[in-house]
Amino acid sequence: MPDRPPTLHDVAKHAAVSTATVSRVVNGGPVAEPTARVVRDAIRTLGYVPNPAARGLITGRSDVVGVLVPDLVGPLNAAIARGVEDVLEAHDKLATIMTDHRDEAREARRVATLVARRVDGLVLIGSHLDDAHLRDLVGDTPVVHVGAERPPGADGIPEVRIDNAAGIDAALGHLAALGHRDVAHLAGPRRDGAERRAAMHDLAPRHGLHLRAVVDTDFSEESGRAAGATLLAEGDATAVLCANDRVAAGLYAAARERGLSLPRDLSVVGFDDLPWSGYLDPPLTTVRQPGRALGRGAAARLFDPDAGGELAPVTPDLVPRGSTAPPPH
Amino acid sequence: MPDRPPTLHDVAKHAAVSTATVSRVVNGGPVAEPTARVVRDAIRTLGYVPNPAARGLITGRSDVVGVLVPDLVGPLNAAIARGVEDVLEAHDKLATIMTDHRDEAREARRVATLVARRVDGLVLIGSHLDDAHLRDLVGDTPVVHVGAERPPGADGIPEVRIDNAAGIDAALGHLAALGHRDVAHLAGPRRDGAERRAAMHDLAPRHGLHLRAVVDTDFSEESGRAAGATLLAEGDATAVLCANDRVAAGLYAAARERGLSLPRDLSVVGFDDLPWSGYLDPPLTTVRQPGRALGRGAAARLFDPDAGGELAPVTPDLVPRGSTAPPPH
DNA sequence: CTGTTAGCGCATTCAT
DNA sequence: ATGAATGCGCTAACAG
């Protein structure tokens, strides 16, 4: 067993050709078919497999791309990571995943580690790093952001996001079709929260809907409960569009405390479609974040040498469930 | 920008020493302190960072360990992966994560890919591969199983599992303390299911509990609902211990359909503690799977050259919440 | 189409 | 304690 794995050289000897020829059949260079056959046989019988370190040393590539994820427990991030892996697999590359970079310093350190490893590309999920710093760290390694938390980079680092306005639009259309006229919004923080809120203001009128109230949350369930209580005290909306599903769950609690029956007394729409959203009582109508598609899009940009800048946002879709119904009366 | 990254040689020149000396300060060889200082300065000013490919070519290591996960969306697997990463980070190694090996063939292919990359170790989560095949694939690369689905390997591949019996024991103790006497079990498939079921039979008597019924599920919510309906039709247990939380959610539905009020009419205990288990109505009392600890334990074995064979199982703990209460009357 | 020649960047003898 | 030399396994010119 301790016999060192076979090398290119071994194969060459076994096949009675030069190492260059073996290298060519391995990497698809110009080789006469009969020769190639012999070499392939030798490869098979010896069980030869290329040494990636040696190859990387000379090519400068590693066929590995680094993926930075805030955490894998959040199902959306996991889905994104999965989408990235889909594309990598198709390109015969491997994903090196690092998690839990809560602050900019940690994240910068991890990016540096990955770059030192000569990764072929970097996918940054929910990154805090601003573009200038990032550019500095990565040199000319291809990078792409997905769902970044950082300030909208004016710089040239490509970024994949979902089209929040399209999601809100779908939700509003659904509500309007049910006959609602008065809606409210439990808004969220940061870019996604801001975009969804702006879309509410812009798009509600186009669906013939009045936006009666907007209350802030921090995306947490508890803040959703509190904001929900505030909202329900005013009570002139028949439907509430929540910044995300966790907030919607909080609103459920607030509604319950108030003795409201969902969806009879109030329609609720979420955003994200978490794994448990369909298990709520009533099952939550929500806008689904296409995590895997996001990941796919991001990874694709790494290879695709086309444009930089903003990439086509991914469109989320509405998942109608039991928390929406025609308004009372 | 296109100036190739600095090499050992560059540093040596800059510090006016030999490459061997630089290598020694980088890797902690015997170097006089004054010399070391000069070299470290040169390293810093040049921004030198070792080329892992070159290093790996010589040492035969890659400082990367491969992690195979069925999927990252399942929170337990994500937690395990996280635990693995904890340990790797402490050892300055990177994790290469691959997901979605649904069948043995796919999985074997991925193991082969990773081994070809000369990973320093392999963590297999929920693997289907039997030990013999695996040994053959990995040669002498260290491997460890976590929560394997495969038949209990008689071979020498170490494995980390949770102590299912301990989890069941904790749940039974909780129920007994509440005053229950008659319990039922919604059982699950495979090793974990079997172990939990066996523990129910073995341990219930020791807590003075009668195991009145056991109905099978496939770990899914839907099967939990169906099995739950069957169970409730007999109706002589005041508490049900479920094979996992998804099944418990199904049981909630069945109980609701039957007009039962939880936990007044029936106590329910789950297993896993999924992220949403605390959000169910009522919040589910459950046995928490210590995913991160599992991952840590597994990764630790990779380095620790100690024993092979079975490893100390990780003990899960009970999370008491709102779905358990004293029995009716 | 195929073989020869050089290194890629580094760790490691073996000297000194 | 340090330096000079050697090769890890492979690909990329360049010849033939």
Side-chain angles (χ1 to χ4, degrees), chain A residues 186 217 219-229 232 240-257 262 266 268-274 276-286 323, chain B residues 275-276 278-281:
Chain A
L186 291 185
T217 75
F219 273 154
S220 75
E221 181 171 355
E222 179 45 32
S223 74
R225 204 198 51 69
L232 296 177
V240 181
L241 224 152
C242 301
N244 70 9
D245 286 2
R246 300 227 300 284
V247 167
L251 175 58
Y252 272 40
R256 216 179 295 132
E257 285 162 11
L262 304 183
L266 184 75
V268 177
V269 181
F271 210 115
D272 280 352
D273 194 24
L274 300 182
W276 45 264
S277 300
Y279 302 151
L280 291 175
D281 181 28
L284 182 65
T285 295
T286 191
S323 66
Chain B
W276 46 263
Y279 300 150
L280 291 176
D281 180 28

Side-chain angles (χ1 to χ4, degrees), chain A residues 130-136 150-159 308-310:
Chain A
D130 69 273
D131 284 12
H133 187 184
L134 190 51
R135 259 277 96 85
D136 188 48
R150 80 192 196 304
D155 207 332
I157 296 187
E159 169 168 12
E310 287 298 316

Side-chain angles (χ1 to χ4, degrees), chain B:
Chain B
M1 269 304 180
D3 35 308
R4 130 196 97 43
T7 71
L8 239 206
H9 198 222
D10 299 331
V11 178
K13 231 173 26 186
H14 189 101
V17 297
S18 74
T19 60
T21 300
V22 179
S23 177
R24 288 191 187 99
V25 341
V26 171
N27 304 309
V31 177
E33 186 44 31
T35 322
R37 260 199 55 70
V38 179
V39 173
R40 276 195 290 267
D41 280 350
I43 288 180
R44 195 159 334 104
T45 71
L46 293 191
Y48 166 76
V49 17
N51 181 324
R55 171 179 291 181
L57 186 51
I58 281 192
T59 61
R61 293 176 305 101
S62 61
D63 290 334
V64 171
V65 339
V67 181
L68 245 50
V69 196
D71 72 296
L72 251 12
V73 176
L76 179 56
N77 288 334
I80 294 174
R82 186 72 157 67
V84 170
E85 209 199 342
D86 286 343
V87 176
L88 295 189
E89 184 174 359
H91 286 249
D92 278 305
K93 292 183 186 305
L94 253 30
T96 283
I97 300 182
M98 301 188 72
T99 65
D100 188 39
H101 42 279
R102 284 169 304 241
D103 54 71
E104 192 170 331
R106 278 173 81 85
E107 197 183 340
R109 219 172 310 133
R110 294 179 180 207
V111 169
T113 302
L114 260 7
V115 170
R117 296 270 185 168
R118 308 292 198 277
V119 290
D120 294 356
L122 236 27
V123 177
L124 268 31
I125 303 177
S127 172
H128 304 279
L129 264 33
D130 69 272
D131 285 12
H133 187 184
L134 190 51
R135 259 277 96 85
D136 188 47
L137 284 172
V138 301
D140 47 9
T141 306
V143 196
V144 53
H145 277 297
V146 179
E149 296 287 11
R150 78 191 198 304
D155 208 333
I157 295 186
E159 169 169 11
V160 179
R161 297 174 53 74
I162 67 157
D163 188 338
N164 281 306
I168 294 294
D169 192 54
L172 290 172
H174 172 69
L175 257 16
L178 286 173
H180 289 271
R181 306 299 310 261
D182 300 285
V183 301
H185 181 47
L186 290 185
R190 295 191 292 264
R191 283 186 83 180
D192 283 320
E195 288 187 11
R196 289 167 201 172
R197 175 203 304 254
M200 284 296 291
H201 279 106
D202 293 353
L203 270 27
R206 303 207 194 156
H207 289 277
L209 297 169
H210 292 275
L211 179 55
R212 312 292 274 193
V214 174
V215 183
D216 280 310
T217 75
D218 61 7
F219 274 152
S220 76
E221 182 172 356
E222 178 46 33
S223 74
R225 204 199 51 69
T230 305
L231 200 63
L232 297 177
E234 312 187 1
D236 40 12
T238 59
V240 180
L241 224 152
C242 300
N244 70 8
D245 285 3
R246 299 227 302 286
V247 167
L251 175 58
Y252 272 41
R256 216 179 296 130
E257 285 161 13
R258 226 185 147 72
L260 263 40
S261 162
L262 305 181
R264 208 193 51 204
D265 302 325
L266 184 75
S267 286
V268 177
V269 181
F271 210 114
D272 279 353
D273 193 24
L274 300 183
W276 46 263
S277 299
Y279 300 150
L280 291 176
D281 180 28
L284 182 65
T285 294
T286 190
V287 177
R288 193 170 56 80
Q289 291 243 34
R292 199 159 168 180
L294 272 175
R296 282 215 184 89
R301 293 327 161 188
L302 242 31
F303 304 113
D304 201 333
D306 75 6
E310 286 298 316
L311 304 166
V314 177
T315 304
D317 37 43
L318 186 77
V319 182
R321 285 198 279 247
S323 66
T324 44
H329 288 209

Side-chain angles (χ1 to χ4, degrees), chain A residues 46-297:
Chain A
L46 293 190
Y48 167 75
V49 16
N51 181 325
R55 171 181 292 178
L57 184 52
I58 192 164
T59 62
R61 294 176 305 101
S62 62
D63 290 333
V64 171
V65 339
V67 182
L68 245 51
V69 196
D71 72 297
L72 250 13
V73 175
L76 180 56
N77 288 334
I80 294 174
R82 186 71 157 67
V84 170
E85 210 200 342
D86 286 344
V87 176
L88 295 190
E89 184 174 358
H91 288 249
D92 279 306
K93 291 182 186 307
L94 255 30
T96 282
I97 300 182
M98 300 188 73
T99 65
D100 188 38
H101 43 279
R102 283 170 304 242
D103 55 72
E104 192 169 332
R106 277 172 83 84
E107 196 183 341
R109 218 172 311 131
R110 293 177 184 208
V111 169
T113 303
L114 259 7
V115 170
R117 296 271 186 167
R118 308 292 198 276
V119 291
D120 294 356
L122 236 25
V123 177
L124 269 32
I125 303 179
S127 172
H128 305 278
L129 265 31
D130 69 273
D131 284 12
H133 187 184
L134 190 51
R135 259 277 96 85
D136 188 48
L137 285 172
V138 301
D140 47 9
T141 306
V143 196
V144 54
H145 277 299
V146 34
E149 297 286 10
R150 80 192 196 304
D155 207 332
I157 296 187
E159 169 168 12
V160 178
R161 297 175 52 74
I162 67 157
D163 188 339
N164 281 306
I168 294 294
D169 192 55
L172 290 172
H174 172 69
L175 257 16
L178 286 172
H180 290 270
R181 306 300 309 262
D182 301 286
V183 301
H185 181 46
L186 291 185
R190 294 192 292 266
R191 284 185 82 179
D192 283 320
E195 289 187 10
R196 288 168 200 173
R197 175 203 306 255
M200 285 297 291
H201 280 105
D202 294 352
L203 270 25
R206 304 206 192 157
H207 289 278
L209 297 169
H210 293 274
L211 180 55
R212 312 293 275 196
V214 175
V215 183
D216 280 312
T217 75
D218 62 7
F219 273 154
S220 75
E221 181 171 355
E222 179 45 32
S223 74
R225 204 198 51 69
T230 306
L231 198 65
L232 296 177
E234 311 187 2
D236 41 11
T238 59
V240 181
L241 224 152
C242 301
N244 70 9
D245 286 2
R246 300 227 300 284
V247 167
L251 175 58
Y252 272 40
R256 216 179 295 132
E257 285 162 11
R258 227 185 147 71
L260 264 38
S261 161
L262 304 183
R264 210 192 49 203
D265 303 325
L266 184 75
S267 285
V268 177
V269 181
F271 210 115
D272 280 352
D273 194 24
L274 300 182
W276 45 264
S277 300
Y279 302 151
L280 291 175
D281 181 28
L284 182 65
T285 295
T286 191
V287 177
R288 192 170 56 80
Q289 291 243 35
R292 199 158 166 181
L294 274 174
R296 282 215 184 90

